[in-house]
Structures are given as C-alpha cells and as structure tokens.
C-alpha cells in the first residue's frame, strides 16, 4: 500500500486526450510542477496533473520519473483552473494546453528562476549638456527616449540603441543602469508622486468610470466608444485605482496594437514597472517577464493574446482593447480565443474585465444588448477632432488606373499638394493576383493548391500565398509558348509602382506582410511615416490597426466589393470594422479627414446602412440578419476539419464522422457538410470540413463531449490529419 501512494499523473505534450502514470519518490512533486519522464525512447517534459493511489496499469511496472524540476506549482490556482477549463472547452489535449501556456524556456526545462531584467534611467543629478553630444546622434536619441521614464534595455534595443551606446552614456554619468526586480517595490511605493498629466475626464468618461467602479456584480463591461472618445484614458484611470490598491493589471491588445507610442503613454502616466509580452521578444525576455508578473514585480502587463496565460501574484483588473480584433483568436494548434479566455479568467479571479472597442464584435454586442454584459457607451470624441467625411465612389464603367478611379487620383493630388499624407487600402499583397497568357488564357497555378500564384515582380517570382511555394516567373507560356504574359488585377506591389510613376514628387511606402516580416521592421516603417519621410501609405488591413497618423487626411479603400460578396459570413462585419477604424483616425481637429470607398455596388444595403447610420446601427442590422439565418451569435459552432494528400481517406473519414453524428441523433445539433473549402487543395493536401451548429453553447459542449471520444477512437489513414475548432472565426479557411 505504501508503494502505491507514489503514483503521479503526468500531462505530456502529445496529441492524446489522456494523461500518463509514473512512479515517483516521496515527497511527490506538486500538481502544476514539471518533471522529466521516460516516454518510449525519449525523455519528455511533463506537468504533474494529479496524485493517485491507483493506476489502471500494473503499478509495479510503471516507470519512475527521471527528474523533478520545480518545488512548487508554476501556476496559481485560478490560472490552473482556467487551463483545465480551456482544455475541456476547446477539446484540446491537456498536455498540449499546459505546454502552450508556458514560456518556451520552461518547456525546455530551464529553471523557473529570475534573472536580472536590465533597465536604464536618466541620472537626474547630472546636467545634460546637449552640445557635448552633438556628434553622437544615437546617444542623443537614447536620452530623448529616457526622458519619458526608464526603459528596459530590450526596448532600447528595439529602437536601435545597443549596449555600447548606453555604456558610453553611463561613462559620462548621464544614465544609470538598474535591475527591474530590485526597483519594483520602490516604484510602486512612489506611484502617486510620479503620476503625470492626467486630464480631467469629460462627462461621458466620468460616467463610465463611475459605472465600472460602482458595479455590484461580476458581469463584464463592454465599453463601446467611438475612436478618440477617450477609452484609453478611461483605462488609465481604472489602472490607477488598481495600482493604488497594490494590485496588478493585464491589458490585452491586438497583435500590432502594441506600439511604442502606447507603451510610452502608459509609462508617462505611471512611474511603475510596466512590462510587455509580444512576438518580437526573445525567449529569455519572455520568461523574465512571466516570472516578474508571477512574483508581483510587474504592475501592468501589456500583451498580445498569449499573455492571458501569465500568472499574477495579485491580479486586480483585465482590459481587452479592440476586443473585436481577429488576432485574439489563435488559428492553429490550440485554437483558443484570447478575449473569451480573458472573460473566463476574470470570472475565476473575481476581478473586473473591460472589453473596449469602437466596433464591438457582434458576439460581444449581443451579450451587452441582452444584459449579460454591462453596456457602456461613449459617443463624443474627447480630443475634439471631427469625424471624417465619407465618399462612396461608384466605379462602374470608370477608367481605373491600377484599380484607382480618376476622382480619387484628383483628391490625392489636392491633399498631397497641401503637404498632407494619403493612405490607401488594398487587401492583396504582391504585384498582381495572377500571371496569365494573353494569347491562350493560361494562368500560372500553384501545383500544390487549388489557387493561382501571386506575381511578385520585385523579386521576379511567383509566390503561392496559401502554401508559400515560390518559383521563378516563366519567360513564355508553357501551353502555347507565347511570350505575351500579362498580369490580371492589381496587388499592393503593382499599385506602389503605379503610384511612384503617377506621383513622382512623393514617396510611397507599402505596409503588408511581405515587408514587415523582420523584427522591428514594422516599427521603423511606422516611425518613418510619422517623420513624413513618406507621403503615400499603401497597405493591407494591418496598417489600420491602432495607428494614429495625424497628417493623413485622405483614406481610400479600393476594393470594397471583395468583402461584400465574400463566402465568409463575417466579411461584412470585418469590412465595417476596417472602415470605422480608418475613418476614426483620419485627420485631426484642425485638419478634417476624408474616406473614399470604391465599389461597383454602391447600392448594397449593408454598405448604405454603415455609411448612413454608423457602426452601431449597422451592427444591429447585421445582428438581425444573423438571427434570421441562425448564425452566430444566435447559434454556436464548432468546425471539424480534416486533410490528407489524397481525397479518398478524407472522404472516408468524413463519412464515418457523419455516421457517428447521425447515430447519436441530437435534435438540436445540425451537421452541415461535409463541405469543401473554396480552395479544396492547399499545400498539397485535400481538405474537407463539417460545421456542427447548436442554438446553445452548453448543449454544443455536451454533444462534443459525447462525440469526440468516438471520433478519436476511429482508426484513420496514417496520412490523415484532423482537428476541431470550437467557436471558429474563419470557417472555410
Ligand atoms: P480612444 O482610446 O477611445 O481612441 P483616447 O483615450 O486615445 O481615445 O483619447 C483620444 C485623444 O483625446 C487623446 O489624444 C487623449 O489624450 C485625448 N483625451 C482623452 N480624454 C481626454 C480628456 N478627458 N480631456 C482631454 N483630452 C482627452
Ligand atoms: Zn499561352
Ligand atoms: Zn500553393
């Protein structure tokens, strides 16, 4: 009996819906701690999920753990509960969920020990004589940045300031190094002394703040406030209260919403340890940040979706900014929604949560309209800027140049001539969507996908945007050997080329995934724009998020029709969000902006509703449409996707899944499919999917719980892969 006491249950990072039993010497490693265990021929890092006295296997034959890594759990109790809950809700193997939640270095077995986080601050005792630094522009830049408050060495490096520059400044006694850990307490103690330039709240802001501070229940808050209505200011005031109580706060932002400008605004307000967590950081920085939050040394953490898995010593508030943003949903592996997990976490931690947006998702809006969330609204622009003028341009039969109508070109001429900037949106990267033969009509298609190549002229290559396959541009048509190869349609690259010819006096910059891949690249483009090095800004949707360019007075959305007639039922919602985002940011008080939308279907009802009645009205119309069609948020979906190099095993698998579902026979569960995506083959794999839909979330969960084990038990062709996506954001993708 004493021997059987030493069994632990371990979750391993394998795609299996079960845990594994091992023997362990006493005292047992605590639940939530890491162990190395033998697994087949390898050693795997696992997380202890249970202690037990019995195993379904012969206890004497259970293997013994190789090594215990932690003396205590890595997760606090609420975070642990959240992770167990999300593995269950998203039907994802617990071992993979727990691993996903850990910083990479901890997954690799690195000790959970803090290293110093190097920071720099101005030495206030030394007078800065700028003339001394005339010939050292980097040093001057560093001082300029540090004037707003201390910065991590890592953040200075992101701005192009390396250690030698800092060492030189330190040698002149102008700046001082310190370690975040040592300073944290002192920072927090002096919080109030350093609170700078907080404006008086206007009536709407004050009402919102009071509503949040005086709420008597745990319902989340949806803050629906037009762009510039002062939502961020409300966040800052809420954060102040939390910090004053000695608690910590988590602020989730979209992938590219975390800009140095935003960080500077927070840092300028609070002289407190404010840390960030985003994809541009290295593994060590991510671990140190994680540990600082766990130890209570970070006052505020601003991060993208995965920051939801950070442990806090004493969390007091969660804010999700731009809550509608699609980057909160993880689209591969563990397919969770960061906003939805944030709501669950707030409930478990019993802390308030504020979802903010000028264009709330229809899901959140519906929750607010039904009273499940507090609904707070702000309708006035705080900074006094005027809303942009809008122009719907009917481009039918107009002679377009690189996809731009003559009227828009003329408006561009006018705005550029007066020293303003112009921003154009086109959701198509590359030079042209396709390369085709003018003589026989042959189109260059990717051999691995049901898709055409995108022509990238700059590097003279054809690029498949679906599987990343790249090949050189052919010199002649493989069908008829004609050399008359031409492009069809316009991508950002070709548009940029056209703009350079049409507007030779002005510089154009492209912002899309092709030229923002490298770390820091996006940020350097954005600051060049702010310095007016470019006058014409051309981008895909990513340019719209969270950036404020006060001298952009004209915005053109070139291809509205693509979204109006897309197969995805969320495409119109996304277009409306893009439109409102750019319209809200164009111009400023002294320089009103203008937004031009080009469409072949200016009479489209939803488009008219958006332009005439604004997003709140449009969103409510959309909700009615969704309700009539029983689409989310009036129903709940899960998508089961499968793929394999050949179609046959996929079809066979889907038939058996259908049989399982039909045999189960739930009256309120509808099974749509099997369906094929618009692009059936991608990266050499045939794809099919089912949509499972149910009017109630809990019922859908109940069905999935019943069906998944049966599907998981099917023996499938070795080449077949399948996964489940609960609350999918893109169904066919
Ligand atoms: P949002 O987050 O809703 O887009 P912000 O909080 O960024 O809005 O506010 C927009 C602008 O208005 C900012 O320049 C901000 O400094 C300013 N602002 C916000 N609240 C006030 C206020 N109460 N008084 C004066 N200016 C304000
Ligand atoms: Zn040809
Ligand atoms: Zn391809």
């Amino acid at each position: 009996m004493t021997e059987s006491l030493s069994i632990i249950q371990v979750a391993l990072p394998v795609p299996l819906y079960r845990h594994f039993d091992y023997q362990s010497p006493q005292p047992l490693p605590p639940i939530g701690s890491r162990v190395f265990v033998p697994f087949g021929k390898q050693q795997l890092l696992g997380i202890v999920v249970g202690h037990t006295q019995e195993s379904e296997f012969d206890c004497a034959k259970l293997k013994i753990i190789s090594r215990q890594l932690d003396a205590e759990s890595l997760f606090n109790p609420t975070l642990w509960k959240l992770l167990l809950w999300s593995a269950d809700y998203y039907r994802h193997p617990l071992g993979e969920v727990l691993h996903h939640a850990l910083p990479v270095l901890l997954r690799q077995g690195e000790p959970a020990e803090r290293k110093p986080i190097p920071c720099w601050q101005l030495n206030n005792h030394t007078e800065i004589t700028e003339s001394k630094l005339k010939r050292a522009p980097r040093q001057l830049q560093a001082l300029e940045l540090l004037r707003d408050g201390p910065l991590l060495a890592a953040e200075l490096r992101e701005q192009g300031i390396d250690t030698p520059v800092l060492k030189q400044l330190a040698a002149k006694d102008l700046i001082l190094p310190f370690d975040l850990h040592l300073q944290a307490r002192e920072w927090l103690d002096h919080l109030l002394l350093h609170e700078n330039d907080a404006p008086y709240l206007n009536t709407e802001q004050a009402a919102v703040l009071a509503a949040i501070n005086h709420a008597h229940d745990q319902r989340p808050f949806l803050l629906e406030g037009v762009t510039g209505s002062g939502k961020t200011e409300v966040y800052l005031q809420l954060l102040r209260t939390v910090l004053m109580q000695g608690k910590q706060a988590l602020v989730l932002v979209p992938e590219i919403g975390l800009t140095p400008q935003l960080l500077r605004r927070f840092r300028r307000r609070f002289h407190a340890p404010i840390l960030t967590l985003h994809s541009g950081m290295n593994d060590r920085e991510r671990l140190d940040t994680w540990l600082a939050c766990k130890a209570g040394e970070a006052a505020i953490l601003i991060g993208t979706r995965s920051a939801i898995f950070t442990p806090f010593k004493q969390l007091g508030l969660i804010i999700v900014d731009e809550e509608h943003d699609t980057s909160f949903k993880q689209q591969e592996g563990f397919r969770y929604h960061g906003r939805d997990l944030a709501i669950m976490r707030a409930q478990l931690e019993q802390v308030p949560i504020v979802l903010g947006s000028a264009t709330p998702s229809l899901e959140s809006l519906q929750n607010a309209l039904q009273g499940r969330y507090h609904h707070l609204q702000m309708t006035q622009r705080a900074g006094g800027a005027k809303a942009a003028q809008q122009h719907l341009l009917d481009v039918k039969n107009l002679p377009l140049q690189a996809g731009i109508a003559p009227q828009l070109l003329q408006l561009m001429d006018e705005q550029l001539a007066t020293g303003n900037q112009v921003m154009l949106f086109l959701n198509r990267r590359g030079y042209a969507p396709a390369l085709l033969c003018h003589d026989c009509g042959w189109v260059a298609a990717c051999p691995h996908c049901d898709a055409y190549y995108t022509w990238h002229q700059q590097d003279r290559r054809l690029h498949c945007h679906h599987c990343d396959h790249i090949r050189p541009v052919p010199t002649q048509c493989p069908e008829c050997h004609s050399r008359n190869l031409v492009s069809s349609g316009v991508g950002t690259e070709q548009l940029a080329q056209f703009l350079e010819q049409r507007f030779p006096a002005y510089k154009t910059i492209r912002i899309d995934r092709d030229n923002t891949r490298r770390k820091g690249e996006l940020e350097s483009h954005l600051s060049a724009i702010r310095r007016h090095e470019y006058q014409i800004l051309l981008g895909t949707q990513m340019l719209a998020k969270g950036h404020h360019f006060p001298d952009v007075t004209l915005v053109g959305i070139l291809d509205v029709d693509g979204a109006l007639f897309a197969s995805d039922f969320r495409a119109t919602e996304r277009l409306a969000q893009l439109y409102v985002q750019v319209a809200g940011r164009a111009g400023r008080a002294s320089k009103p902006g203008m937004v031009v939308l080009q469409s072949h279907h200016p009479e489209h009802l939803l488009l008219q509703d958006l332009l005439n009645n604004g997003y709140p009205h449009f969103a409510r119309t959309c909700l009615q449409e969704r309700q009539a069609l029983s689409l989310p948020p009036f129903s709940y979906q899960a998508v089961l996707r499968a793929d394999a190099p050949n179609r046959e095993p996929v079809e066979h698998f889907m038939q058996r899944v259908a049989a399982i579902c039909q045999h189960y026979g739930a009256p309120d569960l509808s099974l749509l499919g099997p369906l094929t995506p618009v692009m059936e083959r991608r990266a050499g794999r045939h794809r099919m999917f089912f949509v499972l839909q149910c009017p109630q979330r809990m019922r859908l969960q109940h069905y999935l719980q019943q069906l998944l084990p049966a599907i998981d038990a099917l023996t499938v062709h070795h080449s077949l892969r399948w996964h489940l996506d609960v609350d999918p954001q893109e169904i066919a993708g």
Side-chain angles (χ1 to χ4, degrees), residues 437 440 477 480:
C437 171
C440 79
C477 171
C480 72

Side-chain angles (χ1 to χ4, degrees), residues 510-542:
R510 233 170 4 109
I511 303 274
D512 57 33
R513 236 184 315 141
D514 289 330
N515 67 355
T516 51
R517 275 183 219 271
R518 277 186 290 124
K519 203 172 141 179
E521 206 169 7
L522 174 65
E523 188 40 48
S524 78
H525 289 332
L526 296 178
S527 47
I529 293 172
R530 259 173 253 122
R531 289 194 304 268
H532 265 256
E533 282 172 28
Y534 299 95
Q535 294 76 39
I536 304 176
L537 331 176
L538 168 59
T540 53
Q541 197 133 354
M542 82 184 288

Side-chain angles (χ1 to χ4, degrees), residues 609-629:
D609 194 19
L610 174 66
L611 299 184
N612 296 332
N613 307 321
Y615 186 86
H617 193 277
F618 159 88
R620 283 155 181 83
T621 310
C622 262
L623 276 174
Q624 285 170 8
E625 205 180 274
R626 298 263 185 101
Q627 184 165 27
L629 298 169

Side-chain angles (χ1 to χ4, degrees), residues 198-203 205 223 225-237 262 265 269 321-322 357-358 378 380-385 548 584-585:
Y200 283 107
L201 294 186
N202 64 34
T203 324
Q205 288 171 316
L223 175 52
V226 299
T227 311
S229 59
K231 294 184 292 298
T232 310
E233 188 54 46
V234 169
Y235 303 155
L236 290 168
Q237 305 261 349
L262 181 81
R265 191 164 164 194
R269 184 64 60 85
D321 192 29
E322 309 282 356
S357 177
M378 301 203 297
Q380 308 298 319
R381 284 198 173 200
H548 188 60
R585 293 208 173 85

Side-chain angles (χ1 to χ4, degrees), residues 446-449 451 453 464-469 682-684:
C446 172
H448 310 290
C449 305
Y453 278 116
C464 174
H465 284 181
H466 305 286
C467 71
D468 264 352
H469 189 260
R682 185 163 88 183

Side-chain angles (χ1 to χ4, degrees), residues 565-633:
F565 300 99
S567 61
D568 183 344
F569 69 86
R570 285 190 174 86
T572 40
E573 179 187 346
R574 307 259 186 263
L575 169 71
Q577 288 161 345
L578 167 72
Y579 165 73
V580 172
Q581 230 160 12
V582 299
R585 293 208 173 85
R588 56 179 165 193
S590 52
K591 283 184 187 177
M594 179 189 282
V595 182
V596 176
L597 298 105
Q598 295 195 149
S599 172
H600 289 85
H601 299 269
E603 74 294 341
H604 195 284
L605 286 181
L606 281 175
L607 191 57
Q608 284 292 334
D609 194 19
L610 174 66
L611 299 184
N612 296 332
N613 307 321
Y615 186 86
H617 193 277
F618 159 88
R620 283 155 181 83
T621 310
C622 262
L623 276 174
Q624 285 170 8
E625 205 180 274
R626 298 263 185 101
Q627 184 165 27
L629 298 169
S630 297
L631 287 169

